[in-house]
């Protein structure tokens, strides 16, 4: 296993739209286990392949308190959504910032696992929010896109400054 480098906003690679996964092979399973390791180490509750500069429709999450319910979603689709709720969101690609975002409260998801097996399940609360957030990454979208231009620009300039300091 290996830790992967996480891209930070406003890196333009985070705007890439991911392609469907078609090969369920050893290389894919290696990426899945590296993404879990990277997510747990960060630590975070979800990570999309886009964030580690791999532009395929794959995300991992674990919203359990015990950090013992890993879930890998490949080619995920939201087939039903209802209700809405507002929750503070953060993102490993936007370190240090938490802002309220409005999302569907309940969703029904169809996805494949790392062996290509398709299943459907329901999610609500934090898990539903996390899945919607990670699926946005696969479309090149970030939670800061839901904020006002003023807020987003402020976050962008602070992160750019931080990245320059690190590089210098
Ligand atoms: Ni994120």
């Amino acid at each position: 296993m290996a830790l992967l480098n996480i891209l930070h906003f406003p890196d333009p690679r985070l705007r890439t739209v991911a392609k469907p996964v078609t090969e369920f092979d050893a290389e894919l399973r290696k990426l899945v286990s590296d993404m879990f390791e990277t997510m747990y180490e960060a630590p975070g509750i979800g990570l999309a392949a886009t964030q580690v500069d791999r532009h395929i429709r794959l995300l991992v999450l674990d919203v359990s308190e015990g950090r013992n319910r890993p879930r890998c979603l490949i080619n995920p689709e939201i087939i039903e959504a209802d209700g809405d709720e507002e929750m503070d969101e953060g993102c490993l690609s936007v370190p240090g910032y938490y802002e309220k975002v409005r999302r569907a409260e309940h969703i029904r998801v169809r996805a494949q696992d790392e062996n290509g097996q398709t299943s459907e399940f329901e999610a609500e609360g934090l898990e539903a929010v996390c899945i919607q957030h990670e699926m946005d990454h696969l479309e090149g979208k970030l939670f800061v896109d839901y904020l006002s231009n003023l807020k987003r620009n402020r976050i962008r300039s602070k992160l750019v400054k931080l990245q320059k300091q690190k590089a210098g």
Side-chain angles (χ1 to χ4, degrees), residues 1 3 6 14 17 45 48 50 52-53 62 70 78-79 98 105 107 110 126 134 143 145 148 162 166:
M1 296 214 286
L3 288 177
I6 299 176
L14 288 167
V17 176
I45 61 170
T50 311
V52 293
D53 202 22
D62 186 344
I78 292 176
I79 51 178
Y98 298 87
E105 190 178 9
I107 55 175
R110 181 184 296 141
L126 182 61
E134 301 311 330
F143 86 95
D145 298 345
S148 67
L162 207 68
K166 270 189 197 158

Side-chain angles (χ1 to χ4, degrees), residues 11-128:
D11 192 311
R13 290 172 289 183
L14 288 167
R15 298 306 187 180
T16 313
V17 176
K19 294 193 168 67
V21 172
T22 52
E23 302 276 338
F24 293 83
D25 55 10
E27 194 189 335
L28 179 74
R29 284 186 285 276
K30 162 101 170 72
L31 176 60
V32 169
S33 68
D34 288 347
M35 282 176 59
F36 273 120
E37 191 185 5
T38 304
M39 178 190 79
Y40 284 122
E41 165 75 20
I45 61 170
L47 185 68
T50 311
Q51 293 176 274
V52 293
D53 202 22
R54 296 291 302 269
H55 302 286
I56 56 170
R57 304 190 78 81
L58 155 64
L59 61 90
V60 297
L61 69 148
D62 186 344
V63 298
S64 71
E65 278 186 24
R67 313 290 280 154
N68 55 3
R69 274 187 50 215
R71 186 163 230 172
C72 164
L73 305 183
I74 296 177
N75 299 324
E77 292 169 79
I78 292 176
I79 51 178
E80 280 172 38
D82 60 76
D84 69 299
E85 69 183 326
E86 210 175 44
M87 229 184 243
D88 271 336
E89 291 188 23
C91 179
L92 294 175
S93 294
V94 189
Y97 291 89
Y98 298 87
E99 298 286 347
K100 284 198 182 346
V101 178
R102 186 164 289 279
R103 310 248 186 208
E105 190 178 9
H106 299 104
I107 55 175
R108 186 165 178 82
V109 182
R110 181 184 296 141
Q112 287 169 283
D113 66 14
E114 59 266 54
N115 300 310
Q117 196 74 34
T118 301
S119 64
E120 287 185 18
F121 64 95
E122 315 256 342
E124 59 178 15
L126 182 61
E127 185 172 40

